[in-house]
C-alpha cells in the first residue's frame, strides 16, 4: 500500500470517505500509477458527450484493415510432377487505392508461376517482387472487386516447411493471396524468408476449396477432412469450406492414418500420422491440453482443427490456420511434449487472434511459450511449470548479456542472429506474459486473456490492443505491453501502470461521459466539459487566452490551462491540484464541486463511484 500524498489529503478531507491506495482493494501488488506521458498539450478539444449506458468502449481498430475477402480455389495436385495447378478467385472490399497487392509466399528458388491475373475476364499486367505482386486497381470505384489468378506452384521435394517428404504432402501457402494493408491503406511488404521466423502477413478470409488429388490420399486441413467425390483415373475431388481463416493449409498422404476426436461439444480435432504409436501420443496430449487452454483462455471460435505429423527432420513444428504441424523427429527426447502444446496454443494466439508475424512475432510466440507453462501448471503442478520458466529465464539472462541493447520491438529482419531472435521473441516474451500473471494473479490474468480473445477475435492486433484489454480488465487505463516493447534487454520489465476509472452518479442517474473520470495520485478527476455540462453549465473555450468558461444561472467560472487557480463569480480561488490534461481533454479534481461550488459529493472507494447531489 502506498502512503497517501499530502496534496490528496486535502481532496479527501472534503469528501465523506477517504480512500486508500487502490492496489490494496484490487489485490494488485506493484501496480504503479499511469505515467503522465499520456498527457497532451492542448486544452481545447470539442468532445462529444455520450450518455448511453449501453455504450461499449470503442475498440482500437485492427492493424490490418478488414477487406473481407473470400476465396474460391479450384486446384489439382499432380504428385508425379510435384505441382499444384489451379485458379483462385478472390472477392474483396475494394480499398480504392491506386494499386492492389497480392502475396504469393514461397521459396524464391522454387519458380512458382502466375499464368494470369484477370479482372472480369480481362488479363491484367502486374509487377512481381516476391512475395509481392503489384497491379493497378482495375476499378477504383467498385466497392467490391473480384480477381482471378491462375497459378502453378512447385512443391519442393524435401523436408522443408512447404514440401513433400516421406510421402507426406505439406501444402502451406500454396496459392496466391490478397495482400494486407494498414488502416491508412498502406500495403504491407512482407520480408523475404531469412531461415528462421515467420515472414507472413495475413488477413482473415472465407474459403471454398476443391482439390483434385489421388483417391488414396487422406487429408488433415484447416477445416476438416473434406467431402470426397470420385473422378476418373483413381483421382478424387476433395471439397472444403472454411470461415475466417488466415490461410488454407492441407497436409495429406496416401500413408496417413487419420483419427477424428471430439474434444468437446464444440471442438473436433483430426489427427494424422503414418505411425500408430505416434498418433496415440498426439491424441493423448491434445485431449489433455485443449480443454485446459479452453478453460484458461476461452473457447476457440472454430469447430474443427487438425494436427498433422510430417516426415522425419521436416522443419520442426509449425502453426497454420486451425493446424498444428509437428515433425516426426520431435518425438525424440519427448520434444513433442513441449512443442505440440506450443503449436496448439497458436490456435488461440495466431489463429484466432493474430499479430503481424514479422513485426510483432513476440506477441504470439511469447504467449504460446507462456501457455505451455500454464498447461504444465494445470496438468503436472507448479514445479513442472517453474522448470520451464527457469529455462526461459536462463535464455533471458543470456540475452541481457549478449544483446543488452536489443528490444522486443525488433522486427524479424532486425535481429543479429537466430539466438537473439529466439531468446527475445520466445523466452523473454514468455516471461513478459508470466510477469504480468504474477502481478495480476491468475484470476485477473486469465480474464485478461479471455478478453483479448473476445475483443479481437479474427483480427490482427498490436501491443496497444493488449494494453486496451488489460485496461478493460482492470477498469482502468493501463500500460504494460507498449512500454515494455521498447525496453532494452538489459533492463527489467516495467511494471503495469494503471489509472483507475471512477463511475459517476449525478442525483439518482448514472452519467457516462466519453472521457472517463479517473484516479491519479489518489486524486479523483472528472472530465471538465462533460461533467459541468451535465450539471447545467454552458461550457466554452477561449483558445487565445487558454481559458475555459463555464456559465450557469448562478455561477460563472473561468479556468486557466494547467492551473489550480480559477475565478468564481469574479473571485479568484484555488483547487487542491491543477487541472489534469488527458488526451486533449481537461479534468478537474473532485474537490472543486464540494469545496468550490457547494455540491454534496460522496466517493465510495469500494465501488470507485462518485455521487454528486
Ligand atoms: Zn510458435
Amino acid at each position: 500500500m502506498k502512503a497517501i500524498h499530502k496534496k490528496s489529503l486535502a481532496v479527501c478531507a472534503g469528501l465523506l470517505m477517504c480512500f486508500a491506495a487502490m492496489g490494496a482493494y484490487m489485490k494488485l501488488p506493484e501496480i504503479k500509477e499511469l505515467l503522465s506521458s499520456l498527457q497532451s498539450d492542448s486544452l481545447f478539444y470539442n468532445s462529444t458527450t455520450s450518455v448511453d449506458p449501453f455504450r461499449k468502449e470503442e475498440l482500437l481498430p485492427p492493424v490490418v484493415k478488414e477487406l473481407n475477402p473470400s476465396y474460391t480455389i479450384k486446384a489439382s495436385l499432380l504428385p508425379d510432377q510435384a505441382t499444384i495447378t489451379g485458379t483462385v478467385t478472390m472477392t474483396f472490399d475494394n480499398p480504392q487505392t491506386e494499386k492492389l497487392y497480392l502475396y504469393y509466399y514461397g521459396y524464391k528458388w522454387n519458380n512458382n508461376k502466375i499464368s494470369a491475373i484477370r479482372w472480369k475476364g480481362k488479363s491484367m499486367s502486374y509487377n512481381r517482387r516476391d512475395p509481392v505482386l503489384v497491379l493497378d486497381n482495375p476499378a477504383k470505384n467498385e466497392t467490391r472487386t473480384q480477381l482471378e489468378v491462375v497459378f502453378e506452384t512447385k512443391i519442393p521435394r524435401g523436408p522443408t516447411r512447404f514440401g513433400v517428404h516421406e510421402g507426406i504432402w505439406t501444402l502451406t501457402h500454396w496459392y496466391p493471396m490478397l495482400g494486407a494493408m494498414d488502416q491508412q491503406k498502406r500495403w504491407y511488404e512482407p520480408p523475404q524468408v531469412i531461415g528462421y521466423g515467420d515472414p507472413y502477413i495475413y488477413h482473415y478470409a472465407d474459403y471454398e476449396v476443391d482439390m483434385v488429388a489421388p483417391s488414396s490420399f487422406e487429408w488433415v486441413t484447416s477445416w476438416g477432412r473434406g467431402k470426397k467425390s470420385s473422378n476418373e483415373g483413381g483421382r478424387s475431388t476433395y471439397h472444403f469450406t472454411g470461415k475466417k481463416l488466415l490461410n488454407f493449409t492441407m497436409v495429406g498422404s496416401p500413408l496417413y492414418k487419420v483419427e477424428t476426436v471430439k474434444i468437446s461439444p464444440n471442438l473436433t480435432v483430426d489427427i494424422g500420422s503414418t505411425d500408430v504409436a505416434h498418433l496415440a501420443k498426439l491424441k493423448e496430449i491434445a485431449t489433455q491440453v485443449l480443454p485446459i487452454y479452453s478453460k484458461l483462455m476461452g473457447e476457440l471460435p472454430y469447430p474443427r482443427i487438425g494436427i498433422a505429423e510430417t516426415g522425419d527432420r521436416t522443419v520442426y513444428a509449425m502453426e497454420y490456420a486451425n493446424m498444428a504441424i509437428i515433425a516426426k523427429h520431435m518425438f525424440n527426447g519427448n520434444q513433442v511434449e513441449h512443442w505440440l502444446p506450443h503449436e496448439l496454443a497458436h490456435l488461440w494466439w495466431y489463429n484466432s487472434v493474430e499479430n503481424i508475424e514479422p513485426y510483432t512475432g513476440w506477441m504470439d510466440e511469447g504467449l504460446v511459450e507462456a501457455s505451455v507453462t500454464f498447461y504444465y501448471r494445470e496438468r503436472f503442478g507448479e514445479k513442472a511449470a517453474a522448470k520451464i520458466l527457469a529455462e526461459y529465464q536462463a535464455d533471458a539472462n543470456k540475452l541481457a548479456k549478449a544483446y543488452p541493447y536489443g528490444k522486443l520491438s525488433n522486427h524479424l529482419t532486425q535481429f543479429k542472429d537466430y539466438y537473439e531472435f529466439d531468446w527475445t521473441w520466445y523466452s523473454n516474451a514468455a516471461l513478459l506474459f508470466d510477469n504480468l500473471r504474477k502481478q495480476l494473479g491468475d484470476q485477473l490474468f486469465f480474464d485478461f486473456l479471455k478478453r483479448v480473445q473476445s475483443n479481437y477475435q479474427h483480427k490482427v492486433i498490436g501491443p496497444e490492443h493488449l494494453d486496451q484489454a488489460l485496461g478493460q480488465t482492470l477498469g482502468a487505463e493501463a500500460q504494460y505491453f507498449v512500454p515494455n516493447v521498447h525496453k532494452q534487454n538489459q533492463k527489467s520489465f516495467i511494471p503495469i501502470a494503471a489509472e483507475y476509472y471512477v463511475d459517476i452518479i449525478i442525483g439518482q442517474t448514472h452519467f457516462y461521459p466519453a472521457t472517463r473520470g479517473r484516479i491519479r495520485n489518489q486524486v479523483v478527476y472528472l472530465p471538465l466539459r462533460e461533467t459541468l455540462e451535465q450539471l447545467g453549465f454552458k461550457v466554452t473555450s477561449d483558445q487565445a487566452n487558454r481559458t475555459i468558461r463555464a456559465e450557469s444561472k448562478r455561477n460563472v467560472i473561468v479556468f486557466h490551462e494547467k492551473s489550480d487557480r480559477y475565478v468564481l463569480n469574479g473571485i479568484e480561488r484555488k483547487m487542491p491540484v491543477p487541472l489534469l490534461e488527458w488526451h486533449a481533454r481537461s479534468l478537474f479534481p473532485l474537490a472543486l464541486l464540494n469545496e468550490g461550488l457547494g455540491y454534496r459529493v460522496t466517493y465510495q472507494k469500494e465501488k470507485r463511484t462518485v455521487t454528486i447531489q
Side-chain angles (χ1 to χ4, degrees):
M1 192 183 282
K2 285 175 195 157
I4 296 177
H5 200 271
K6 245 191 186 170
K7 224 191 294 185
S8 24
L9 279 174
V11 185
C12 293
L15 304 177
L16 294 184
M17 289 177 89
C18 194
F19 56 99
M22 291 303 108
Y25 163 62
M26 288 294 287
K27 294 193 180 63
L28 301 176
E30 294 302 314
I31 295 187
K32 297 203 170 161
E33 297 214 6
L34 197 66
L35 309 166
S36 25
S37 63
L38 283 175
Q39 292 183 43
S40 151
D41 277 330
S42 170
L43 179 66
F44 304 96
Y45 195 91
N46 288 323
S47 68
T48 49
T49 304
S50 164
V51 288
D52 175 8
F54 303 109
R55 170 176 63 95
K56 280 190 184 157
E57 185 183 339
E58 214 171 289
L59 294 176
L60 292 166
V63 292
V64 169
K65 191 174 170 63
E66 292 162 311
L67 300 177
N68 304 306
S70 68
Y71 294 81
T72 303
I73 309 179
K74 295 196 181 302
S76 176
L77 168 68
L78 304 166
D80 294 347
Q81 288 142 52
T83 299
I84 303 169
T85 57
T87 301
V88 51
T89 306
M90 48 185 92
T91 312
F92 52 94
D93 295 345
N94 193 329
Q96 307 190 325
T97 42
E98 286 296 322
K99 304 283 180 191
L100 295 177
Y101 272 41
L102 309 182
Y103 301 152
Y104 196 12
Y105 295 121
Y107 303 105
K108 230 180 167 179
W109 41 265
N110 208 32
N111 199 23
N112 288 337
K113 286 195 187 89
I114 299 280
S115 352
I117 300 179
R118 299 191 196 108
W119 173 75
K120 293 188 173 170
K122 200 178 106 191
S123 228
M124 305 282 304
S125 61
Y126 60 91
N127 280 319
R128 185 169 173 179
R129 47 167 199 274
D130 283 330
V132 179
L133 306 166
V134 184
L135 57 146
D136 289 334
N137 192 340
K140 270 182 66 182
N141 297 328
E142 272 184 349
T143 50
R144 210 156 156 84
T145 300
Q146 189 173 77
L147 293 177
E148 192 180 77
V149 186
V150 186
F151 64 92
E152 183 183 306
T153 302
K154 292 275 175 206
I155 304 164
R157 290 183 186 279
T160 38
R161 62 165 71 161
F162 163 63
V164 53
H165 181 55
E166 296 184 347
I168 300 167
W169 298 74
T170 308
L171 310 183
T172 60
H173 302 143
W174 49 274
Y175 55 92
M177 311 165 84
L178 179 66
M181 57 167 42
D182 66 14
Q183 293 292 346
Q184 283 72 48
K185 297 189 176 182
R186 292 172 300 210
W187 294 99
Y188 287 108
E189 300 262 353
Q192 290 292 330
V193 177
I194 55 164
Y196 53 81
D198 303 323
Y200 313 115
I201 304 179
Y202 302 111
H203 49 240
Y204 288 90
D206 295 341
Y207 283 85
E208 290 285 334
V209 178
D210 280 316
M211 177 66 89
V212 179
S215 302
S216 56
F217 269 56
E218 293 287 344
W219 293 101
V220 175
T221 79
S222 293
W223 209 285
R225 299 175 62 178
K227 222 173 119 200
K228 185 175 176 182
S229 48
S230 297
N231 305 340
E232 289 169 356
R235 288 169 66 79
S236 291
T237 301
Y238 299 83
H239 180 77
F240 305 89
T241 305
K243 295 261 176 229
K244 300 272 182 196
L245 294 171
L246 292 176
N247 48 68
F248 198 89
T249 290
M250 313 176 62
V251 184
S253 173
L255 311 170
Y256 251 1
K257 293 160 196 47
V258 179
E259 190 172 338
T260 299
V261 184
K262 209 163 177 70
I263 301 288
S264 71
N266 303 321
L267 185 62
T268 300
V269 56
D270 302 306
I271 308 172
S273 171
T274 57
D275 180 311
V276 181
H278 283 192
L279 203 151
K281 183 70 183 168
L282 295 169
K283 181 178 163 184
E284 188 259 323
I285 296 172
T287 50
Q288 289 289 336
V289 75
L290 288 167
I292 289 173
Y293 286 163
S294 295
K295 185 184 90 176
L296 297 177
M297 312 194 288
E299 296 280 343
L300 266 187
Y302 298 97
R304 191 107 179 215
I305 58 171
I307 298 170
E309 188 188 42
T310 54
D312 199 32
R313 303 286 150 199
T314 308
V315 171
Y316 232 43
M318 280 297 299
E319 72 279 14
Y320 287 99
N322 276 346
M323 290 278 290
I325 295 180
I326 189 135
K328 191 164 273 172
H329 70 277
M330 301 303 282
F331 280 81
N332 303 344
N334 257 344
Q335 295 176 77
V336 65
E337 299 269 12
H338 182 101
W339 289 101
L340 184 59
H342 174 110
E343 302 308 336
L344 289 174
H346 272 304
L347 294 169
W348 279 259
W349 312 113
Y350 162 91
N351 189 52
S352 161
V353 174
E354 169 67 318
N355 43 274
I356 295 194
E357 298 289 318
Y359 301 160
T360 51
W362 64 269
M363 287 174 62
D364 64 318
E365 295 304 348
L367 195 38
V368 305
E369 283 288 73
S371 299
V372 176
T373 69
F374 308 152
Y375 156 64
Y376 269 67
R377 183 173 293 105
E378 289 278 325
R379 189 173 172 194
F380 305 112
E382 189 62 47
K383 255 191 179 169
K387 192 169 167 249
I388 305 171
L389 285 168
E391 288 165 17
Y392 297 160
Q393 189 60 58
D395 287 348
N397 295 346
K398 285 185 275 183
L399 179 72
K401 230 173 160 185
Y403 310 90
Y405 306 112
K407 295 172 183 178
L408 276 173
S409 61
N410 273 6
H411 288 184
L412 176 62
T413 50
Q414 292 171 328
F415 292 108
K416 293 193 180 70
D417 54 30
Y418 171 79
Y419 293 103
E420 188 191 8
F421 154 75
D422 181 44
W423 294 340
T424 305
W425 276 13
Y426 287 69
S427 304
N428 207 32
L431 293 174
L432 178 72
F433 285 101
D434 199 61
N435 187 281
L436 179 65
R437 183 185 68 83
K438 285 178 178 139
Q439 289 178 73
L440 293 179
D442 280 16
Q443 176 73 49
L444 275 178
F445 177 75
F446 290 112
D447 283 353
F448 155 69
L449 291 188
K450 284 182 190 134
R451 192 177 277 271
V452 177
Q453 283 289 324
S454 65
N455 275 2
Y456 312 115
Q457 208 161 77
H458 306 139
K459 293 190 173 17
V460 186
I461 64 166
E464 62 277 17
H465 297 78
L466 297 180
D467 278 345
Q468 183 178 42
L470 181 59
Q472 289 172 328
T473 309
L474 297 173
E477 174 98 15
Q479 286 186 338
Y480 179 69
F481 292 98
V482 171
N484 272 302
V485 161
H486 301 290
K487 173 199 76 67
Q488 290 179 350
N489 293 333
Q490 60 178 347
K491 303 252 171 74
S492 334
F493 291 126
I494 303 160
I496 311 169
E499 193 164 277
Y500 289 94
Y501 297 140
V502 293
D503 288 331
I504 307 170
I505 299 172
I506 298 181
Q508 304 291 319
T509 317
H510 275 276
F511 168 49
Y512 300 92
T515 302
R516 304 285 300 266
R518 58 195 56 231
I519 302 162
R520 181 177 291 179
N521 296 329
Q522 283 101 42
V523 178
V524 174
Y525 290 90
L526 303 184
L528 192 151
R529 179 190 296 270
E530 293 177 84
T531 310
L532 291 183
E533 281 179 350
Q534 196 68 18
L535 292 171
F537 285 83
K538 186 169 179 276
V539 183
T540 52
S541 57
D542 180 342
Q543 188 85 50
N545 292 314
R546 315 297 287 175
T547 57
I548 301 174
R549 184 184 165 91
E551 192 170 348
S552 71
K553 279 181 188 154
R554 275 188 293 164
N555 294 313
V556 177
I557 320 167
V558 179
F559 297 95
H560 295 270
E561 181 182 23
K562 294 179 183 171
S563 173
D564 56 355
R565 310 278 157 167
Y566 65 102
V567 178
L568 174 65
N569 301 326
I571 300 164
E572 187 174 277
R573 305 182 64 148
K574 192 171 173 295
M575 294 178 280
V577 287
L579 293 179
L580 172 70
E581 285 173 40
W582 178 87
H583 282 213
R585 265 85 159 182
S586 292
L587 293 94
F588 64 82
L590 192 53
L592 171 77
L593 291 181
N594 58 327
E595 290 175 3
L597 302 179
Y599 286 91
R600 264 186 43 218
V601 178
T602 54
Y603 179 73
Q604 286 179 283
K605 67 167 183 178
E606 297 288 314
K607 294 182 177 167
R608 289 198 198 103
T609 301
V610 171
T611 306
I612 305 167
Q613 275 160 335

